[in-house]
Amino acid sequence: MNKIFTYFFCLLLLATNQLAAQTDSHCGTLLTDEQKVLLLDYAQNGRGFATKSAAQYYVPIYFHFVGDDAGKGFYNSHQLMLDLCELNRQYAAVGFYYYLAGIEYISNSTYFDHDYNGGYDMMRQKNKPNVANVYIVLNPAGNCGYFSPGRNGVAVGKNCMGTGATTLAHEMGHFFSLPHPFDNVTGVQEYVNGTNCAVAGDLFCDTRADFLNTRWNCPYTGNQLDPLGDKYDPDETLFMSYASDHCAHRFSDEQIDAMKYNINTSRINLKGPLQDTMPVQQTAKRIWPPDNAAQKPTESKFMWSSVPGADYYILQVSQISVFPSNLPVDIMTKDTSYIATGLTNGRTYRWRVRPVYAARTCTDFTTDLGVFVTSLTTGIDAAESTEMLVYPNPAAKNSLVTVAFQTEQTGEIKASISTVEGKTISSSLLQKQSDLQYSLSIDGLPAGIYFVELSNGSNTTRHKLMVE
Ligand SMILES: [Zn+2]
């Protein structure tokens, strides 16, 4: 009995240790021959390059949101934009400014929770040219993240992203050729006294000798000795070390030198054009649904005003008053409208939209756009085109109908109402309510089906309207 108990206890221990090892693995980037060649080239030809290099480089970064086969589990898009903002703070001293070159959503469980083979296949299939490809997944081969020199892509676990995390900064360091401070590029261990720093360890002389290739918390309190018998004092402030996230906040001058050499040599295709990085606060305005309106849970429509210069919009829908990481709708899109198909019937939801600029991702949502409820029998619908909506439809007798535009209108808008037989009943000007919304009176119209023709002098559109 005791033997059996011991046996199971050992099995349990083994399983627990493996689990711990898996979640504790910081970085899966191995020092490959490709990386060694780059570093030796830098050591021979690149030292001091930063002094003759440009102060600022604009680097295109492409994010692949990876979810499971069902399209679930994508990393929160708003948080990713804040992470990109943070990455730019972390790289400010380097002189690299990352701007959003593009995004895509990939629904693939084999990529979402992958081993190295799955990750390499993902990068081979999905990498875009002339950008830094970054994949946000659930599990990047048991690590927080890794850079694959062979596949030329970075994978980061979504649990190792977020405010205060340094994994992305670390992996982008590998992407731009950096080794860990404990790596031995020439196979020779670096001495604490610095005498062989240029030809041993990571080949940098301003990163102290380091031997800690597992996650460690700062400050270092061990007593490990180097081959000469001197006590190690590894530098926890370096992003490239394995010190905990809260300890690391910088690259050394020589590491910066090597990254600048790299972007001017083997990564010269990534030198992007000047970006407009000035902060802006522009708000998308609600067009549809009207506040407190009912929407079909299987077909909830959202429409908002276009914002000048915005490259993307983030639409989020939440069942509670805050917007946590797992939302029923969390999508980044170039469009100004979206149809959600997976909401739950009989619930109240809030929704919000923020514009995203490729090189200014630090902005927050300014305001919620409103509340709606889901109902299988919706009471409100709209006659719509891609440019405007006329609602409610059907409309009640002797009421006001709203006409909502996606862009601000200049000049007067004429509305004429006619019967289905083509007989004009009335002609009037729309009354402006706000920048995007106008109203049209249907006083005196009997119940029936009508056509509303809207004209601003250059364009005319026709909408079917039911009065009941
Ligand atoms: Zn690493």
Side-chain angles (χ1 to χ4, degrees), residues 3-23:
K3 259 186 189 167
I4 291 171
F5 176 78
T6 311
Y7 173 70
F8 278 111
F9 184 70
C10 285
L11 264 189
L12 190 71
L13 259 187
L14 199 67
T16 315
N17 278 342
Q18 275 177 348
L19 200 68
Q22 196 181 31
T23 50

Side-chain angles (χ1 to χ4, degrees), residues 62-375:
Y62 191 104
F63 285 110
H64 306 259
F65 289 90
V66 182
D68 64 15
D69 287 343
K72 301 278 184 211
F74 295 115
Y75 187 54
N76 183 285
S77 51
H78 174 54
Q79 184 60 50
L80 183 62
M81 294 305 99
L82 298 182
D83 292 354
L84 179 55
C85 173
E86 173 96 358
L87 185 70
N88 280 325
R89 271 197 297 272
Q90 292 164 329
Y91 272 76
V94 179
F96 285 7
Y97 191 94
Y98 296 92
Y99 65 92
L100 193 61
I103 57 133
E104 72 168 344
Y105 288 89
I106 303 170
S107 298
N108 184 319
S109 296
T110 313
Y111 298 162
F112 186 53
D113 182 354
H114 70 242
D115 56 14
Y116 282 111
N117 284 334
Y120 297 160
D121 182 56
M122 171 179 76
M123 290 170 187
R124 192 175 59 237
Q125 304 284 348
K126 299 292 182 182
N127 268 9
K128 306 291 179 197
N130 301 318
V131 293
N133 286 282
V134 176
Y135 297 81
I136 311 298
V137 304
L138 176 66
N139 171 25
N143 309 288
C144 252
Y146 65 88
F147 162 62
S148 164
R151 296 287 174 231
N152 197 18
V154 164
V156 181
K158 59 179 188 165
N159 297 330
C160 297
M161 296 286 291
T163 309
T166 62
T167 299
L168 183 56
H170 175 105
E171 298 307 335
M172 292 313 295
H174 287 313
F175 183 89
F176 285 107
S177 82
L178 297 187
H180 299 115
F182 54 79
D183 283 331
N184 296 321
V185 179
T186 59
V188 181
Q189 211 172 334
E190 184 175 351
Y191 299 142
V192 170
N193 69 17
T195 50
N196 67 349
C197 61
V199 294
D202 61 3
L203 304 183
F204 299 125
C205 286
D206 62 353
T207 61
R208 301 201 295 266
D210 189 334
F211 70 101
L212 290 166
N213 62 359
T214 55
R215 205 80 161 124
W216 56 285
N217 203 358
C218 61
Y220 173 66
T221 53
N223 291 303
Q224 183 89 9
L225 304 178
D226 80 354
L228 300 180
D230 290 325
K231 207 174 118 180
Y232 277 109
D233 177 25
D235 188 343
E236 72 266 21
T237 67
L238 297 172
F239 285 129
M240 298 315 294
S241 78
Y242 268 14
S244 298
D245 284 15
H246 70 94
C247 313
H249 57 80
R250 71 179 189 108
F251 294 100
S252 79
D253 288 347
E254 288 182 43
Q255 287 175 329
I256 292 170
D257 200 39
M259 285 195 274
K260 284 196 156 168
Y261 181 69
N262 188 249
I263 201 171
N264 279 282
T265 51
S266 62
R267 291 226 181 266
I268 196 141
N269 63 319
L270 291 186
K271 279 168 70 173
L274 180 69
Q275 296 289 313
D276 172 12
T277 60
M278 292 298 288
V280 286
Q281 278 294 346
Q282 286 257 30
T283 312
K285 291 174 186 154
R286 178 183 72 215
I287 294 179
W288 185 267
D291 214 14
N292 296 307
Q295 297 241 70
K296 288 193 181 73
T298 50
E299 194 189 0
S300 298
K301 296 174 195 168
F302 303 92
M303 203 181 236
W304 54 92
S305 65
S306 62
V307 174
D311 298 292
Y312 294 91
Y313 300 91
I314 293 175
L315 164 69
Q316 293 189 330
V317 175
S318 177
Q319 233 176 281
I320 49 178
S321 59
V322 292
F323 290 76
S325 55
N326 276 320
L327 291 167
V329 177
D330 174 22
I331 188 89
M332 237 173 127
T333 174
K334 283 182 178 292
D335 294 333
T336 50
S337 62
Y338 184 75
I339 296 176
T341 55
L343 297 180
T344 307
N345 187 38
R347 300 282 167 80
T348 300
Y349 291 96
R350 311 188 70 80
W351 67 292
R352 61 181 189 174
V353 171
R354 70 163 268 204
V356 174
Y357 302 83
R360 313 172 216 142
T361 64
C362 301
T363 55
D364 203 348
F365 287 87
T366 46
T367 175
D368 289 7
L369 292 188
V371 170
F372 65 94
V373 294
T374 44
S375 164

